[in-house]
């Protein structure tokens, strides 16, 4: 019997119609159409190699750029990709670090794969196809966990969220919520804890295995941003998530997992992050 499979999905944001003051992280009222009318000479691209691929026709997607307007350096991007408090605080880096710590916590007892192991954008469709392909070759129980941060116009909004679809097992949500609520209580987050959000995201509804999206905090909130910048607290958060995953996958009588078996002693560690295709 194979070890239970965990697919970890460290989010990376995506493309939306938001513009930011690059230096201050303040959202601005520009549109994508306005930016497209800019003279190419007025744009500064973040990646020279991506720019060359785009100009040569090898890539159809224009790479990320910034431009000057009224004394501000303006960039286009996902509000979940960087913190409005400080543009150096990025979702992609924080969630990848938590995913790596989580891999180390559970990798001896579970079969762990990651949709990305380094900085780089992976499209949602590719992540879904990758997870479903792994599931096809998995004879035992499996679970998909996507890690993200969020931002809000309400700077007081903070804490954890679990996004579920109609296909998400209730027991998975309950176990993760219990772990995250306990962690919030230990951090002194008395008025906040873990919010459950119903969301029919393709990242959940098109999966062939049970899955949930976990929001690790709000980068628009000063306390959450400071917490997520603390490596020790990120590692403690990973341990809490590990407890939730192990608890969910250790119940052979769960109807979602008729082929499950009680987890035995840890096996020797596998080579971490060996999956380089993503």
């Amino acid at each position: 019997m194979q070890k239970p499979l965990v697919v970890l999905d460290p989010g990376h944001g995506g493309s939306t119609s938001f513009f930011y003051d690059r230096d201050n992280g303040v959202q601005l009222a520009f549109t994508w159409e306005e930016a497209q009318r800019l003279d190419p000479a007025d744009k500064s691209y973040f990646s020279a190699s991506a720019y060359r691929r785009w100009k040569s026709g090898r890539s159809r997607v224009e790479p990320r750029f910034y431009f000057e307007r009224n004394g501000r350096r303006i960039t286009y991007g996902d509000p979940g990709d960087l913190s409005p408090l400080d543009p150096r605080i990025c979702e992609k880096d924080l969630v990848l670090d938590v995913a790596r710590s989580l891999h180390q916590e559970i990798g001896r007892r579970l079969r762990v794969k990651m949709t990305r192991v380094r900085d780089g954008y992976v499209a949602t469709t590719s992540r879904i196809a990758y997870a479903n392909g792994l599931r096809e070759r998995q004879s035992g129980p499996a679970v998909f966990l996507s890690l993200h941060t969020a931002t809000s116009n309400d700077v007081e909004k903070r804490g954890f969220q679990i996004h579920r679809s109609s296909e998400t097992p209730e027991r998975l949500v309950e176990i993760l919520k219990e772990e995250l609520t306990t962690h919030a209580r230990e951090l002194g987050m008395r008025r906040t804890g873990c919010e459950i959000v119903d969301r029919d995201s393709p990242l959940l509804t098109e999966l062939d295995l049970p899955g949930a999206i976990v929001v690790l905090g709000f980068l628009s909130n000063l306390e959450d941003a400071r917490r997520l910048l603390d490596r020790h607290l990120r590692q403690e958060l990973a341990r809490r998530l590990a407890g939730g995953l192990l608890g969910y996958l250790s119940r052979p009588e769960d109807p979602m997992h008729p082929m499950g078996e009680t987890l035995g002693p840890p096996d020797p560690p596998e080579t971490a992050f060996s999956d380089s295709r993503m």
Side-chain angles (χ1 to χ4, degrees):
M1 181 71 68
Q2 289 179 314
K3 290 182 181 179
L5 169 68
V6 174
V7 182
L8 298 178
D9 177 47
H12 193 293
S15 57
T16 66
S17 56
F18 289 93
F19 284 85
Y20 285 87
D21 177 335
R22 185 186 173 203
D23 298 316
N24 302 307
V26 178
Q27 186 176 320
L28 301 172
F30 285 84
T31 67
W32 178 248
E33 289 74 20
E34 286 179 296
Q36 290 302 296
R37 290 196 293 268
L38 289 171
D39 188 318
D42 294 332
K43 299 178 182 179
S44 298
Y45 292 87
F46 286 93
S47 169
S49 60
Y51 172 75
R52 288 193 294 270
R53 288 195 299 272
W54 174 64
K55 289 297 287 184
S56 68
R58 287 180 289 160
S59 171
R60 291 180 293 176
V61 180
E62 184 175 10
R64 191 175 174 193
F65 60 83
Y66 66 91
F67 56 95
E68 304 283 338
R69 181 64 62 87
N70 298 327
R72 284 178 158 175
R73 292 190 295 175
I74 299 166
T75 188
Y76 171 77
D78 188 329
D81 193 42
L82 53 82
S83 169
L85 300 173
D86 187 337
R88 294 170 297 179
I89 304 174
C90 292
E91 173 191 37
K92 62 191 177 96
D93 301 324
L94 297 173
V95 298
L96 180 58
D97 185 70
V98 172
R100 285 171 171 165
S101 296
L102 180 52
H103 187 294
Q104 292 172 349
E105 290 287 332
I106 63 177
R108 288 169 59 87
R109 303 188 68 182
L110 305 174
R111 178 185 174 217
V112 183
K113 296 293 183 179
M114 294 174 61
T115 58
R116 69 180 178 97
V117 297
R118 59 184 64 84
D119 190 8
Y121 177 72
V122 184
T124 299
T125 52
S126 298
R127 287 144 60 196
I128 293 170
Y130 177 60
N132 288 344
L134 290 169
R135 181 59 178 141
E136 287 179 1
R137 301 185 294 275
Q138 174 71 17
S139 61
V143 67
F144 177 92
L145 193 68
S146 189
L147 304 178
H148 295 263
T149 61
T151 61
S152 173
N153 291 329
D154 178 6
V155 297
E156 298 299 321
K157 189 173 182 61
R158 63 180 300 210
F160 304 106
Q161 290 183 336
I162 298 174
H163 293 202
R164 66 182 179 186
S165 72
S166 56
E167 287 89 1
T168 304
E170 189 62 32
R171 183 167 165 269
L172 174 61
V173 175
E174 290 174 355
I175 290 178
L176 290 174
K177 180 180 179 180
E178 181 179 356
E179 292 287 347
L180 293 173
T181 300
T182 301
H183 186 50
R185 191 181 304 119
E186 291 171 346
L187 293 173
M189 298 162 61
R190 294 181 179 85
R191 290 177 294 178
T192 56
C194 183
E195 178 185 7
I196 305 301
V197 178
D198 292 314
R199 179 184 177 190
D200 285 329
S201 165
L203 198 54
L204 298 177
T205 59
E206 296 180 13
L207 286 172
D208 294 335
L209 63 165
I213 298 171
V214 176
V215 173
L216 305 178
F218 287 78
L219 296 183
S220 47
N221 176 270
L222 183 59
E223 288 80 9
D224 267 8
R226 286 174 173 170
R227 169 175 60 81
L228 287 166
L229 283 174
D230 186 319
R231 180 162 176 76
H232 171 75
L233 292 179
R234 291 200 304 270
Q235 291 175 330
E236 182 57 33
L237 177 55
R239 281 191 283 272
R240 285 293 177 184
L241 293 171
L245 291 172
L246 288 167
Y248 174 69
L249 290 167
S250 63
R251 289 267 301 274
E253 68 274 17
D254 191 307
M256 287 297 298
H257 301 312
M259 300 180 68
E261 59 181 9
T262 304
L263 297 179
D267 289 337
E270 298 175 358
T271 302
F273 319 130
S274 59
D275 223 340
S276 60
R277 73 181 291 272
M278 287 292 186

